[in-house]
């Protein structure tokens, strides 16, 4: 069980709702993953919900908690405005905060991110900031009022997996009591398992499931990988060694002379 802003959930996977081949596929993938939290873009709802759309009705029928996001926002003003509109549309103070700073890598504008987080936290929002694995930025976000941090492991949609494992491990070690969610860059269930073995509390992903050949099967695989990674972390795996170590005792073994 993991707690985000005082709300406890069993599942440690958060799933995006964009790019699925059909609404039914989305619904089946959410169920197969076991997730209890889905991210929803305000732009998606506004675009599809002219008649107060089927998309929002579908999400509500899944009986999961909604985490609205500010995907596609490139300025503090745009992100703050989008967050406030999402609060009205979805009826929640939770918001996944994105302030994109680079068009090609979709790397967050960490300066704008901290500024927007401070504004939203002071306005009562419970902010889930999409950030890099920079320790100083993480500290600034906590100072701004965030209680959850979401570092990337690779650029959004790249499916590269953890490109700097040591940075992620350092992040976990530096913020031992903060709920940490790896957001962006996961491509395979083994990537999710790896970051969970580092001790992260959860993962958030979208493209790796939605664009898979079989999104429902992939959602199930990610759900199982996240659970296995968490179990492995709690089981305290062995640290790598430079030298070989025999797994059976050698004392008393016969030797040739």
């Amino acid at each position: 069980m993991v707690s985000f802003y005082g709300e406890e959930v069993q599942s440690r996977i958060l799933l995006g709702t964009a790019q699925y081949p059909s609404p039914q596929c989305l619904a089946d993938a959410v169920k197969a993953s076991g997730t209890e939290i889905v991210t929803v873009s305000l732009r998606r709802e506004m675009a599809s919900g002219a008649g107060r759309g089927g998309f929002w009705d579908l999400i509500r029928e899944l009986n999961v908690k909604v985490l609205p996001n500010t995907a596609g926002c490139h300025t503090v003003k745009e992100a703050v405005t989008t967050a406030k509109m999402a609060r009205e549309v979805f009826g929640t103070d939770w918001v996944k905060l994105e302030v994109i700073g680079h068009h090609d890598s979709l790397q967050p504008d960490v300066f704008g991110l901290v500024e927007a987080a401070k504004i939203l936290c002071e306005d009562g929002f419970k902010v889930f900031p999409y950030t890099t694995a920079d320790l100083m930025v993480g500290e600034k976000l906590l100072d701004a009022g965030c209680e959850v941090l979401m570092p990337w492991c690779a650029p959004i949609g790249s499916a590269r997996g953890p490109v700097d494992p040591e940075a992620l491990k350092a992040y976990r070690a530096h913020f031992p009591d903060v709920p940490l969610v790896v957001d962006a860059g996961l491509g395979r269930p083994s990537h999710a398992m790896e970051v969970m073995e580092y001790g992260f509390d959860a993962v958030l992903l979208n493209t790796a499931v939605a664009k898979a050949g079989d999104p429902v099967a992939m959602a199930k695989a990610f759900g199982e990988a996240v659970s296995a990674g968490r179990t492995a972390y709690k089981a305290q795996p062995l640290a790598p060694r430079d030298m070989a170590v025999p797994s059976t005792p050698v004392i008393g073994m016969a030797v040739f002379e």
Side-chain angles (χ1 to χ4, degrees):
M1 185 172 292
V2 60
S3 177
F4 299 122
Y5 289 101
E7 296 196 33
E8 295 183 337
V9 292
Q10 295 283 350
S11 174
R12 295 175 180 271
I13 180 170
L14 291 72
L15 198 60
T17 56
Q19 306 184 74
Y20 288 86
S22 71
Q24 187 60 52
C25 183
L26 163 62
D28 292 343
V30 169
K31 294 173 185 174
S33 72
T35 185
E36 297 165 66
I37 301 172
V38 299
T39 63
V40 176
S41 168
L42 175 66
R43 294 165 189 260
R44 167 72 180 273
E45 168 58 12
M46 297 297 283
S48 65
R52 299 289 19 109
F55 175 74
W56 182 221
D57 291 339
L58 171 68
I59 297 299
R60 284 191 291 196
E61 290 173 359
L62 291 171
N63 194 31
V64 292
K65 189 167 182 61
V66 171
L67 174 60
N69 65 61
T70 62
C73 293
H74 288 257
T75 67
V76 173
K77 182 178 180 181
E78 190 178 11
V80 170
T81 300
T82 301
K84 291 182 177 180
M85 292 175 66
R87 179 161 62 180
E88 296 300 320
V89 171
F90 298 109
T92 176
D93 290 330
W94 281 21
V95 64
K96 179 194 168 187
L97 180 62
E98 292 185 21
V99 182
I100 300 301
H102 191 267
H103 288 279
D104 293 331
S105 68
L106 300 181
Q107 182 167 340
D109 170 3
V110 295
F111 305 102
L113 180 70
V114 172
E115 182 181 348
K118 187 173 189 299
I119 293 170
L120 292 173
C121 287
E122 289 177 348
D123 194 24
F125 280 90
K126 296 174 174 62
V127 177
F128 294 66
Y130 159 63
T131 181
T132 63
D134 187 295
L135 299 178
M136 287 187 62
V137 175
E139 291 178 348
K140 295 292 185 185
L141 289 168
L142 295 179
D143 291 343
C146 297
E147 297 181 12
V148 176
L149 297 174
M150 300 206 307
W152 71 353
C153 71
I156 292 174
S158 68
R160 296 173 61 189
V163 295
D164 192 348
E166 298 309 316
L168 291 175
K169 293 176 185 176
Y171 209 81
R172 176 72 281 178
H174 193 70
F175 301 111
D177 300 321
V178 178
L180 300 181
V181 181
V182 169
D183 179 15
L186 297 171
R188 299 173 181 273
S190 57
H191 298 157
M193 183 182 294
E194 183 176 349
V195 298
M196 292 301 294
E197 288 178 353
Y198 298 162
F200 279 79
D201 296 284
V203 302
L204 192 160
L205 66 152
N206 188 162
T207 308
V209 170
K211 303 301 284 184
D214 186 340
V216 178
M218 188 59 77
K220 184 174 186 296
F222 265 103
E224 293 173 346
V226 167
S227 178
R230 178 65 182 178
T231 300
Y233 169 69
K234 292 176 65 179
Q236 303 177 22
L238 285 175
R241 297 165 174 166
D242 293 330
M243 300 294 292
V245 178
S247 57
T248 55
V250 296
I251 298 177
M253 291 182 64
V255 296
F256 293 101
E257 295 183 351

